Amino acid sequence: MTTTLPTTSGTAPTPAAPLPDDLKVTGLRVLRSEWLKFRSLRSSPLAVAVAVLGMVALGWIFSAADANRWPVMRPQAKLHFDPTDVSIRGYVLAQLVIGVLGVLIVSGEYGTGMIRATFSAVPTRLPVLWAKLAIFAVVSFVVGTISSFAAFLGGQAFLSSQHIQTTLGAPGVFRAVFGVGLYLTVVGLLGVALGWLIRHTAGAIATLFGLLLVLPGIAEALPDSWAPHIVPYLPSNAGQALVTVRPDAAMLAPWTGFAWFCGYVVVALVAAVVLLKRRDA
């Protein structure tokens, strides 16, 4: 008698063995990977150094210059003199550096093709986006806050020669100085969001500069009846209300303006999430 071997046709496939724990993709491992990539990016240490040195140096230079010319300064200029604004004014340069670096940490991967390897390792994609956001938010906040306090304290030392300095305890001063770190953090996240949305370095940087610098300039041409309803709500104008000790009547309240600025970034990030899930790498 001959026996027939059982066939395997029609049987369910053998389930794949689970990955060993040391090969599983976890949020912590994605964070570590993105941190290593950020540190290895040539532009990262250079941009951080430029942001810190630029903001501190400009704050000290502006403060020293105003202290030097204070005796001959016009009375009208003295009336509107703000020692806090003079010392932290370098954030205008720092925002561009931080924003560009935020774009580069995303668009740089698309430009080199590394993004394919990244998404092969993390097929769900969104953990990569959140990891880049988290890392850059921490970097931007630390760099911005340290630079702001260093610029302020050094600037007040220069201004004290003419007894025109202020202190962190004065109304609105601590909020403005600390707010620089928050403002630069949100600018950095806007750069990251634009990097995901546009995926092209030049296009994303041009869009960032347009939002922060060009749009407020264009808005100055608006009719007087329109300006109060548009100008305060523009991204940079809204965000900079937080770093102004004495906002004028045309600006939003400090935390209201900052909330508007954060809202723009949230919208950009939601759009980035949607497009990231739909696009090919």
Side-chain angles (χ1 to χ4, degrees):
M1 176 183 298
T2 59
T3 58
T4 305
L5 294 175
T7 63
T8 59
S9 60
T11 60
T14 304
L19 287 172
D21 289 340
D22 59 349
L23 294 180
K24 288 182 178 178
V25 177
T26 65
L28 183 58
R29 284 175 178 154
V30 176
L31 275 172
R32 287 175 178 171
S33 172
E34 293 303 321
W35 172 241
L36 288 173
K37 284 192 285 186
F38 177 79
R39 289 170 52 194
S40 63
L41 191 66
R42 290 183 178 181
S43 57
S44 296
L46 178 60
V48 169
V50 170
V52 174
L53 294 176
M55 184 168 174
V56 174
L58 287 176
W60 292 2
I61 290 171
F62 289 146
S63 299
D66 280 351
N68 184 60
R69 66 185 180 185
W70 181 260
V72 296
M73 190 178 291
R74 291 178 301 174
Q76 189 70 13
K78 288 183 177 181
L79 182 64
H80 293 93
F81 181 76
D82 184 347
T84 304
D85 177 69
V86 169
S87 60
I88 64 174
R89 195 178 298 167
Y91 80 84
V92 176
L93 170 64
Q95 71 175 341
L96 303 181
V97 178
I98 293 294
V100 168
L101 184 57
V103 169
L104 287 175
I105 67 171
V106 178
S107 64
E109 285 202 51
Y110 279 101
T112 61
M114 185 184 292
I115 196 68
R116 295 184 179 87
T118 298
F119 287 157
S120 295
V122 189
T124 51
R125 300 189 178 191
L126 290 186
V128 177
L129 183 148
W130 303 131
K132 286 185 183 294
L133 284 173
I135 288 170
F136 201 65
V138 172
V139 170
S140 301
F141 179 74
V142 171
V143 169
T145 303
I146 291 175
S147 302
S148 179
F149 277 94
F152 174 80
L153 295 174
Q156 300 316 303
F158 284 107
L159 295 173
S160 64
S161 64
Q162 297 293 336
H163 307 289
I164 53 175
Q165 77 279 12
T166 187
T167 66
L168 290 170
V173 173
F174 181 83
R175 184 253 306 152
V177 177
F178 182 73
V180 169
L182 296 176
Y183 175 76
L184 292 179
T185 300
V186 179
V187 169
L189 296 183
L190 178 61
V192 175
L194 292 175
W196 284 115
L197 282 170
I198 300 174
R199 303 192 299 179
H200 187 273
T201 300
I205 291 175
T207 303
L208 177 71
F209 283 17
L211 291 172
L212 297 180
L213 301 178
V214 178
L215 199 57
I218 294 175
E220 292 181 1
L222 291 173
D224 291 340
S225 59
W226 292 14
H229 306 288
I230 297 176
V231 174
Y233 298 92
L234 297 178
S236 59
N237 290 349
Q240 289 171 10
L242 184 64
V243 303
T244 305
V245 175
R246 299 188 295 268
D248 59 43
M251 298 178 68
L252 297 174
W255 292 107
T256 302
F258 184 67
W260 269 94
F261 190 35
C262 292
Y264 287 115
V265 177
V266 169
V267 171
L269 288 174
V270 170
V273 168
V274 172
L275 291 179
L276 183 61
K277 294 177 70 69
R278 293 182 177 182
R279 284 171 169 169
D280 295 332

